Amino acid sequence: MADEVKLYRTWSSPFGLRIVWALHIKGIEYDTIFEDLSNKSPELLQYNPVHKKIPILVHKGKPICESLVILEYIDETWKEVPLLPQDPYQKAMARFWAKFGEDKLLPSVWSVFSGKGVEEKKEALVPAVQNLQHLEEQLKDNKFFGGEKIGYLDIEFGWLPYLLDVFEEVIDLKLFDAAKFPLLSAWMKNFNDHPAIKPHYPPRDKLVTKFQLLHEKYQTGN
């Protein structure tokens, strides 16, 4: 089966990790091809000529691109251990909050990271915290965003548990207050504890080094 499923990704991309997690949650065997985005392979350019980005899932020779699209493809192709809710309304709500994550939450946190100087970062922190509050309210004392089992939205927001503290270390500014977000904090622990998740996190020291270099570029403009 592994020769049927290939995943093109980088070692650090949270978007590629979404697919890793989904495949492991569902118990799907696959081969990983790590890409160097400074020297993209002919296969990457062939499989994703429009965006020329990872992740790319290749199943039976057919490529699927964009992480959220890939997650839905995986869920519809391998129906065991469903990721998305079966109820149409709940499924629509999951897609709504996934779009919120892509369009609002991630950009707001990134604005804090990439802001020049302390004041610009603190200003950007206000909408980022507001967006985290929206997530806090969605958990409603559930173990995961969809209830008691890990699913689609947990994977969507899965970058939070392992990247927020890396960002905090790099920019020397508190992004996440566990006391202010007790439900989100508990969710992060539950997410980390799932056997399909934490073993696949990138090495933290390498992440810190990567984002330190990137942060310096944002601060100097070089």
Side-chain angles (χ1 to χ4, degrees), residues 2-219:
D3 62 345
E4 290 188 42
V5 182
K6 295 180 180 180
L7 174 60
Y8 289 77
R9 67 182 185 100
T10 63
W11 70 270
S12 62
S13 168
F15 307 106
L17 264 184
R18 289 173 178 169
I19 315 309
V20 172
W21 293 329
L23 292 171
H24 281 273
I25 288 168
K26 286 182 174 278
I28 301 163
E29 294 183 15
Y30 66 99
D31 291 325
T32 298
I33 297 91
F34 287 103
E35 284 284 341
D36 175 2
L37 296 185
S38 66
N39 183 25
K40 297 175 183 178
S41 71
E43 290 82 6
L44 185 153
L45 300 176
Q46 173 192 342
Y47 287 138
N48 191 357
V50 176
H51 297 298
K52 302 178 176 64
K53 297 191 301 184
I54 54 92
I56 304 168
L57 186 78
V58 180
H59 182 217
K60 297 182 178 179
K62 297 178 180 179
I64 307 97
C65 305
E66 299 295 316
S67 64
L68 295 184
V69 176
I70 297 171
L71 288 182
E72 292 212 30
Y73 176 85
I74 289 171
D75 209 32
E76 292 172 4
T77 303
W78 295 277
K79 298 186 182 297
E80 301 81 4
V81 195
L83 301 176
L84 276 158
Q86 301 305 296
D87 176 76
Y89 176 76
Q90 294 300 325
K91 186 178 290 187
M93 288 300 96
R95 288 170 173 153
F96 171 86
W97 286 106
K99 186 168 176 56
F100 164 82
E102 299 296 274
D103 295 349
K104 300 282 285 185
L105 178 62
L106 183 54
S108 68
V109 172
W110 192 250
S111 291
V112 181
F113 178 84
S114 60
K116 284 190 175 182
V118 175
E119 291 307 313
E120 189 172 317
K121 291 182 185 300
K122 287 184 176 179
E123 184 177 333
L125 187 60
V126 175
V129 169
Q130 289 174 342
N131 289 330
L132 287 170
Q133 183 61 43
H134 287 310
L135 281 196
E136 176 82 2
E137 293 165 2
Q138 285 305 303
L139 278 163
K140 302 171 185 173
D141 291 321
N142 289 326
K143 186 175 182 180
F144 296 106
F145 280 99
E148 290 303 301
K149 293 183 179 180
I150 197 168
Y152 176 77
L153 279 183
D154 305 293
I155 294 171
E156 151 69 24
F157 298 123
W159 58 274
L160 289 167
Y162 78 97
L163 275 183
L164 277 184
D165 76 310
V166 169
F167 290 172
E168 287 178 342
E169 178 175 337
V170 170
I171 68 175
D172 194 24
L173 181 67
K174 193 71 175 172
L175 288 166
F176 182 79
D177 184 346
K180 185 179 289 187
F181 302 111
L183 300 182
L184 203 49
S185 181
W187 166 78
M188 288 181 180
K189 183 180 185 306
N190 291 330
F191 187 78
N192 278 336
D193 288 345
H194 193 283
I197 303 302
K198 197 170 186 178
H200 305 289
Y201 282 162
R204 191 180 184 282
D205 57 340
K206 287 183 66 178
L207 285 173
V208 170
T209 299
K210 172 187 172 172
F211 285 107
Q212 282 174 337
L213 293 172
L214 191 56
H215 186 250
E216 287 173 8
K217 289 182 179 180
Y218 279 118
Q219 299 311 297

